[in-house]
Each structure stands twice: as C-alpha cells, then as structure tokens.
Amino acid sequence: MLRALFISLSESRSLRNVAEKSSLGQRISGRFVAGTQVDNALNVTRALNRAGLSVSIDNLGENINNANEARHSAELYRQLLSEISARGLNANVSLKLTHMGLDVDPQLAYDNVTALVAQAAAMQPKNFVRVDMEGSAYTQRTLDLVHELHRKPENHGCVGAVIQSYMRRAEADVASLLNDGIRIRLCKGAYQEPPEIAYQSKAEVDSNYVRLMKILLKSGIYHGLATHDECIIRGAMAFATRENVARDAFEFQMLYGIRRDLQQSLVRDGWRMRVYVPFGTEWYPYLMRRLAERPANALFVARNLFRK
C-alpha cells in the first residue's frame, strides 16, 4: 500500500512543483542530495573519500523531452568524469538513458552514453559508467546497450548495469550479463510494475534479492549490493565468509544521507562501501522512489528533516 502510494507521488507533476520550491524541499535536498551543482557533488565526494568511502555520482533527472537538455546532461557527465580524474577522487558515475535523451531520439541517447563510456575507458586509471535501470518499458533497451558497449574490447570493465530483484526476469538477465563479464548493481526496484512481470510482496522481492546476491558473489566479477537492509547485509557477509569470497571482491552500496552509521561500520570492519551521491534540482521523484523501495524510510526521513 505505502509502496504504491510513494510511486504514485513520484509521478505527480503538481506535487513535485510545489515540493521542489518549498522551504521543506530545501531541507530535504540538503540532507539527501549533494547540492545542485557539479562542484557540490565533487566536494561531498572528497569528504566521503576521506572517510574511506567510494562514491557513485548521479546527476538527477529522467524522461527529458528536449534534445538540448539531453546534450546538456551529457556535458555535465563529461565534466564530472574530467573533474574526478583531475582531483584524484575515488568515484564513478551513474546515469539514466532517459536523461540522455532516449525518449527524444534513441540514437542521441546511445551516442551520449557511448561517448561517456569511451571517456571513462580512456582515463588513467580507467573509470566506470553505471547505466541505471528504469521502468520495465526501458529494461531491454538498457540491457542491450550495456551489452553492446561492453563487447568493445576497449570498454571492457568500464560499463555496468543494474538489476532489480523484484523483476521476474532478473535471474535470466543476471545470467546474460555474467556471461559477458558485466558488473552488476543489485537493488530491489522502485517502479510500479504489474504482477505478471514483477514480484509484489516484500518477502518475494527479498528472497529473489538473496538468491541473486549469492550468484553474484560467486561469479568472480566485481559487483555492488545496493541495500540498507541489515538482515540482507549480514547474510551477504556470512555468505562471503563461508564461501571464501574476499572482502575486496565486491562492495556494498547505500544512498547519501541514509544509514551513515552503518556505512562507517562496514568500512571499519574492512568491507568495501560505495555511497550513491545524487545532485541537481530534480530531487523529488528520486526521494519518492527511495521511499517506495523501503517505506520504513519515511519515518527516518521525517525524523532527520526536523532534527536541528
């Protein structure tokens, strides 16, 4: 019920316009989003690096309907990659195909992402572009592009995908990605999908997450486990220990501003931890989808918003 509510709220244009202009919205953006400019995200990244955390930077935005906006978004990512290299930061980038112009012109989106992956692959040391997963209407096109880019020898290891454990097709997609040696971020999923293509209950989603997690950890490829669920995290640590999977053979991933105590605890215990750092003005759909992923976060967000 709550999950469906938050997804519905994420799609409301009127609520989004009000929220993004409100004083409460400014507090939210300050707590869970690293500012609105590239420099804001880079400064947050440096601070996180100093605390032993690696970072994935995301310029918030999706479903743009203007080619110039898509080109501007791609330019921001080019700037990010250049500055990550120049400043010696331990960070990569995450992007959405619809933010690169997929709904406007698929070729434009593919060209934008192709250029960014080529830039990451040419860096010294090489960097990495994570192509985020969106709703089911984009799943196959997203995976097809990642496969296509990764097959180019010069891009090997420099582009990865996201798999959502609530999708019934997830296990088959994991097998296909692993067959090509592609790095995966495993998450639970945050879009409203019908029962015929997506698990609806938390128990089913969690069970599939754990099943896929074990496949990833034993694959010999470096993957990211994106979750704040302590039961799943403890299970992953126990499984890795039992199966002799090295602590530096994969990483946990969490969102900026959420469970900072747990992030630091994992680092102190010798596990790798990457923080997903969003920046930009379009924080509203991002936050609503994060609440949809785990409605219990709503109380956490509210508590932090009103804490002085």
Side-chain angles (χ1 to χ4, degrees), residues 125-150:
K126 289 187 174 186
N127 209 299
F128 180 79
V129 175
R130 180 80 66 184
V131 182
D132 282 336
M133 190 56 72
E134 303 181 65
S136 59
Y138 302 102
T139 300
Q140 194 59 53
R141 284 180 286 175
T142 300
L143 293 174
D144 287 346
L145 177 61
V146 172
H147 278 289
E148 179 183 336
L149 290 174
H150 194 268

Side-chain angles (χ1 to χ4, degrees), residues 42-246:
L42 293 169
N43 290 337
V44 165
T45 296
R46 183 176 296 282
L48 290 169
N49 284 174
R50 287 172 175 164
L53 303 156
S54 55
V55 168
S56 186
I57 306 176
D58 176 27
N59 177 218
L60 293 174
E62 57 191 87
N63 296 111
I64 62 174
N65 54 20
N66 182 289
N68 287 333
E69 288 182 38
R71 295 187 186 97
H72 175 68
S73 299
E75 178 55 39
L76 280 181
Y77 276 102
R78 282 191 284 274
Q79 183 181 350
L80 275 172
L81 286 169
S82 294
E83 288 298 323
I84 287 170
S85 178
R87 303 185 190 199
L89 299 175
N90 180 3
N92 58 40
V93 298
S94 297
L95 57 80
K96 290 181 172 62
L97 288 188
T98 63
H99 200 197
M100 296 292 105
L102 185 61
D103 290 337
V104 181
D105 177 2
Q107 190 60 52
L108 172 63
Y110 296 160
D111 289 346
N112 282 337
V113 178
T114 297
L116 291 169
V117 172
Q119 180 181 350
M123 292 168 62
Q124 294 297 330
K126 289 187 174 186
N127 209 299
F128 180 79
V129 175
R130 180 80 66 184
V131 182
D132 282 336
M133 190 56 72
E134 303 181 65
S136 59
Y138 302 102
T139 300
Q140 194 59 53
R141 284 180 286 175
T142 300
L143 293 174
D144 287 346
L145 177 61
V146 172
H147 278 289
E148 179 183 336
L149 290 174
H150 194 268
R151 288 190 185 111
K152 297 179 180 179
E154 63 273 21
N155 292 341
H156 187 80
C158 295
V159 59
V162 176
I163 291 296
Q164 302 169 118
S165 71
Y166 73 163
M167 295 295 287
R168 296 182 185 274
R169 62 177 288 173
E171 189 166 355
D173 289 336
V174 163
S176 179
L177 290 165
L178 294 183
N179 188 58
D180 274 2
I182 295 173
R183 291 167 56 180
I184 295 169
R185 172 198 289 150
L186 180 63
C187 67
K188 293 185 181 181
Y191 294 84
Q192 189 70 38
E193 304 288 2
E196 57 267 25
I197 67 171
Y199 299 113
Q200 302 297 303
S201 74
K202 181 180 185 302
E204 287 179 305
V205 174
D206 287 357
S207 176
N208 202 36
Y209 189 104
V210 171
R211 179 164 54 251
L212 298 175
M213 172 196 78
K214 292 177 179 179
I215 294 172
L216 297 186
L217 290 181
K218 294 187 71 174
S219 70
I221 301 168
Y222 190 87
H223 301 297
L225 304 179
T227 181
H228 303 92
D229 188 321
E230 288 191 65
C231 288
I232 288 179
I233 290 170
R234 286 195 297 270
M237 292 189 294
F239 182 80
T241 300
R242 189 166 62 249
E243 296 294 327
N244 294 315
V245 177

Side-chain angles (χ1 to χ4, degrees), residues 6 89 145 162 194 205 267 275 284 297:
F6 284 124
L89 299 175
L145 177 61
V162 176
V205 174
V267 171
V275 181
Y284 176 79
N297 281 338

